[in-house]
Amino acid sequence: MSILVVGSVAFDTVSTPFGEVREALGGSATHFSVSASFWSPVRLVAVVGEDFTGAHRQPLLDRNVDIAGLTTAKGRTFRWSGVYGDDLNSARTLDTQLNVFADFKPEVPQAWRDTPLLFLANIDPELQWNVLEQVRGAKLVAADTMNYWIDSKPEALKKLLGRVDVLLINDGEIRQLTGERNLVRAVAAVRRLGPQAVVVKRGEHGVLVFQGTSAFALPAFPLESVMDPTGAGDAFAGGFLGYLASRGLDGERDFRRAAVVGSVMASYQVEDFSLDRLMRLTEPEIRDRYARFQELTRFSPLS
Amino acid sequence: MSILVVGSVAFDTVSTPFGEVREALGGSATHFSVSASFWSPVRLVAVVGEDFTGAHRQPLLDRNVDIAGLTTAKGRTFRWSGVYGDDLNSARTLDTQLNVFADFKPEVPQAWRDTPLLFLANIDPELQWNVLEQVRGAKLVAADTMNYWIDSKPEALKKLLGRVDVLLINDGEIRQLTGERNLVRAVAAVRRLGPQAVVVKRGEHGVLVFQGTSAFALPAFPLESVMDPTGAGDAFAGGFLGYLASRGLDGERDFRRAAVVGSVMASYQVEDFSLDRLMRLTEPEIRDRYARFQELTRFSPLS
């Protein structure tokens, strides 16, 4: 089953205690697409500038991502620059240049308007709504967001959430969105806005998944070396939704496995800069780390 | 199998967004003893002042804690006062009065010197060493510590760790102790100092247990209401070591179950102030929450 993603394709300049990259391929839709492509066919809707070359498209093509929805506009590609300190949990943004993204009017190719799984990656909630209106055939709608939109467009975001089935959001953001410090109550508040499933991303502390009456908690994989956390959340979303799509519409029963798959993809994502680790990732490596997650979390009944 | 604990018995004045208590029974050894008493016989070594009445002893006696090692000294009982804000993860200390603790010279009753499991709760590492020297018959030595001792007595603490089998420590403290930001590397550094097993307590994010070549990660139980986090770490240690002791010396093979039991006890501890929740806790409630931890964390193999 195909997934359609709309989000950013960007050039990232990132510095961490372990190195740096300049104008490396990044953006929420890019990281999502590469990760999801291990599991399901991916259709990408985004905009880039005239400085986006064939070489920049190549990693997406190598992963069989369908880029028929990647339009080129006059101007420069979106750029982001950030630095991580010793605490790799959050980046300090040095510079954001919207460039072609400032006037982005996403247009979903006609043939894609019945894509069954739609992922609205972290962009302006008004653009997310615009895409949602076009993909009328979507059976499952998932969305991400960030503090910037919670602050600046809370009403547009809340309107959008009324039509979102699965919200992926980090712990700080769900507290900000709901004004609830307690995560269980924050999730309940979000579900009253619309999403029936909520995935709370907690960075190095793992992930919490609430769906129906079920709660699932998974720690993050304890890594000895984290090079660059950029894209971890999008790689998680790619694995999570890519796996669900691969299971067909019954996929909703597989939310637990999907969260483990997402965590596997995110754990590899942070092992190198930009797309470098996922571009050389193999299926045996994925299966190996999934098995290690089982070993990491297993325990016996009380006797 | 019996456990001997040395630590503080205190009067706590605690304020959280959900209420407050004044001069309620607390202290690391108290919380540990009550929690461990659900699993194994507990022997308590500590000091209190002349203001510590029979009514104060009663909860310990009700839980069958052996208080033959609880001595009364001239003066007032140790007092601590703290306040928790909306972020319940850490308290701001308002006041600490060592009182009788300032001159505490722990004396372990002769009959207790071969207690097989020794827990050195969070007190001055020189006092911890002193007790370790007396309990010559201990087969398994576990210890806790805190930022204050890491700062003020790093050498005494490192000397102690050379003879500790299991260190229980929170994530901020193990980073401080080792200078390593990455938890996996911080744990490796601690193990080079002595402890073969390390339990990293991460508050609302759960616990990581490293023992031999095994790593075990357990999320915390997602609670809708946390009244007062005071004593959560000690209740965890009580459940963890109490369970190990109940399994005999083969207990080391049960570190995973012990960590779940510890997390069950800690999750109840925070539901009310002081000892209030654990004093009314029942065995069916413990078994119920253990089963909920299984439900919270289970997932199927990748198919």
Side-chain angles (χ1 to χ4, degrees):
Chain A
M1 176 180 290
S2 291
I3 307 180
L4 189 154
V5 56
V6 58
S8 61
V9 173
F11 292 139
D12 287 346
T13 296
V14 178
S15 164
T16 82
F18 311 105
E20 59 173 5
V21 286
R22 310 207 137 264
E23 309 226 323
L25 186 54
S28 59
T30 311
H31 290 298
F32 177 90
S33 295
V34 169
S35 176
S37 72
F38 283 84
W39 306 93
S40 294
V42 180
R43 298 165 170 177
L44 171 63
V45 172
V47 64
V48 291
E50 296 153 311
D51 52 358
F52 200 86
T53 67
H56 293 126
R57 282 173 177 78
Q58 200 55 52
L60 294 164
L61 297 173
D62 287 348
R63 292 297 319 160
N64 292 314
V65 175
D66 191 337
I67 58 172
L70 183 66
T71 56
T72 303
K74 216 172 157 67
R76 280 155 57 87
T77 301
F78 177 47
R79 277 164 170 78
W80 177 77
S81 167
V83 58
Y84 294 85
D86 285 340
D87 177 356
L88 290 166
N89 280 316
S90 61
R92 186 162 54 88
T93 291
L94 298 177
D95 190 32
T96 302
Q97 298 174 16
L98 284 181
N99 298 333
V100 295
F101 230 85
D103 298 311
F104 181 37
K105 300 275 178 298
E107 178 122 1
V108 177
Q110 206 60 44
W112 290 5
R113 298 195 173 198
D114 61 352
T115 309
L117 206 163
L118 171 63
F119 180 55
L120 306 165
N122 170 29
I123 52 172
D124 184 333
E126 291 175 6
L127 295 184
Q128 291 175 314
W129 177 268
N130 185 305
V131 171
L132 183 57
E133 286 280 287
Q134 296 178 55
V135 189
R136 291 280 179 176
K139 301 279 191 295
L140 189 76
V141 177
D144 192 1
T145 191
M146 70 181 292
N147 46 7
Y148 180 79
W149 306 118
I150 297 169
D151 261 353
S152 60
K153 301 203 174 178
E155 291 316 312
L157 181 57
K158 282 177 186 173
K159 177 181 164 198
L160 178 78
L161 290 180
R163 286 178 55 188
V164 165
D165 302 301
V166 183
L167 178 66
L168 297 102
I169 189 166
N170 80 32
D171 47 357
E173 289 159 359
I174 196 171
R175 287 171 170 140
Q176 184 189 358
L177 175 64
T178 61
E180 272 287 358
R181 172 77 212 170
N182 179 283
L183 275 187
V184 177
R185 287 203 299 266
V187 166
V190 160
R191 294 174 87 175
R192 284 193 294 272
L193 297 173
Q196 282 316 292
V198 179
V199 180
V200 183
K201 299 176 288 179
R202 303 198 284 180
E204 67 165 329
H205 299 302
V207 65
L208 276 169
V209 182
F210 295 84
Q211 181 215 13
T213 58
S214 150
F216 174 55
L218 185 75
F221 195 77
L223 290 167
E224 197 164 339
S225 166
V226 174
M227 292 288 278
D228 175 13
T230 307
D234 301 306
F236 174 89
F240 182 81
L241 296 173
Y243 181 77
L244 284 187
S246 76
R247 306 288 289 174
L249 277 185
D250 286 342
E252 291 186 56
R253 283 185 292 173
D254 284 324
F255 267 44
R256 287 169 185 255
R257 271 191 288 215
V260 183
V261 167
S263 301
V264 166
M265 303 307 286
S267 75
Y268 280 119
Q269 169 65 27
V270 303
E271 287 187 351
D272 208 339
F273 286 87
S274 183
L275 301 170
D276 292 2
R277 186 65 184 91
L278 292 200
M279 288 309 293
R280 61 174 191 268
L281 184 63
T282 65
E283 194 183 312
E285 285 176 322
I286 292 173
R287 293 195 168 271
D288 174 68
R289 190 154 292 174
Y290 191 103
R292 282 166 183 265
F293 263 106
Q294 292 184 284
E295 173 62 19
L296 177 70
T297 57
R298 69 171 176 78
F299 61 91
S300 314
L302 193 56
S303 63
Chain B
M1 177 181 291
S2 291
I3 307 180
L4 189 154
V5 56
V6 59
S8 61
V9 172
F11 292 139
D12 287 347
T13 296
V14 179
S15 165
T16 84
F18 310 105
E20 60 173 4
V21 285
R22 313 206 136 264
E23 309 226 322
L25 187 54
S28 59
T30 311
H31 290 298
F32 176 91
S33 296
V34 169
S35 177
S37 72
F38 284 83
W39 306 94
S40 294
V42 179
R43 298 165 170 178
L44 171 63
V45 172
V47 64
V48 292
E50 296 153 311
D51 51 0
F52 200 87
T53 66
H56 293 126
R57 280 175 177 77
Q58 200 55 50
L60 294 165
L61 297 173
D62 287 348
R63 292 298 319 159
N64 292 314
V65 175
D66 191 335
I67 58 172
L70 183 67
T71 56
T72 304
K74 216 173 159 65
R76 279 155 57 88
T77 300
F78 177 47
R79 277 165 170 77
W80 177 78
S81 167
V83 59
Y84 294 85
D86 284 340
D87 177 357
L88 290 165
N89 281 316
S90 61
R92 186 162 54 87
T93 292
L94 298 177
D95 189 31
T96 302
Q97 298 174 18
L98 285 181
N99 298 333
V100 293
F101 230 84
D103 299 311
F104 181 37
K105 300 274 177 297
E107 178 124 0
V108 177
Q110 205 62 43
W112 290 6
R113 298 195 173 198
D114 61 351
T115 309
L117 207 164
L118 171 62
F119 180 55
L120 306 165
N122 170 28
I123 52 172
D124 185 334
E126 291 175 8
L127 294 185
Q128 291 176 313
W129 177 268
N130 183 306
V131 171
L132 182 58
E133 286 280 288
Q134 295 179 56
V135 189
R136 290 282 178 174
K139 300 280 190 296
L140 189 76
V141 178
D144 191 1
T145 190
M146 71 181 293
N147 46 7
Y148 181 78
W149 305 118
I150 296 169
D151 261 353
S152 60
K153 300 202 174 179
E155 291 316 311
L157 181 57
K158 283 176 185 174
K159 176 181 164 196
L160 179 79
L161 290 181
R163 285 177 58 189
V164 165
D165 301 302
V166 183
L167 178 66
L168 298 101
I169 188 166
N170 80 33
D171 48 356
E173 289 159 358
I174 195 171
R175 287 171 169 139
Q176 183 189 358
L177 176 63
T178 61
E180 273 287 358
R181 171 78 213 169
N182 179 283
L183 275 187
V184 177
R185 287 204 297 268
V187 166
V190 160
R191 293 172 88 174
R192 284 193 292 272
L193 297 174
Q196 281 316 291
V198 179
V199 179
V200 182
K201 299 176 287 180
R202 304 199 282 180
E204 67 166 328
H205 299 302
V207 67
L208 276 169
V209 181
F210 295 84
Q211 180 217 13
T213 58
S214 150
F216 174 55
L218 185 76
F221 196 77
L223 291 167
E224 198 163 340
S225 167
V226 174
M227 293 287 276
D228 175 12
T230 307
D234 301 306
F236 174 88
F240 182 81
L241 296 173
Y243 181 76
L244 284 187
S246 76
R247 306 288 289 173
L249 276 185
D250 285 343
E252 291 186 55
R253 283 186 292 174
D254 285 324
F255 267 43
R256 287 170 184 254
R257 271 191 286 215
V260 183
V261 167
S263 301
V264 166
M265 303 307 287
S267 75
Y268 280 119
Q269 169 65 27
V270 303
E271 287 186 351
D272 208 339
F273 286 87
S274 184
L275 301 171
D276 292 3
R277 187 63 183 91
L278 293 200
M279 290 308 293
R280 62 176 191 268
L281 184 62
T282 65
E283 193 183 313
E285 287 176 321
I286 291 173
R287 294 194 167 271
D288 174 67
R289 190 154 289 174
Y290 191 103
R292 283 167 183 264
F293 263 106
Q294 292 184 282
E295 173 62 18
L296 177 70
T297 57
R298 68 169 176 79
F299 60 93
S300 314
L302 193 56
S303 61

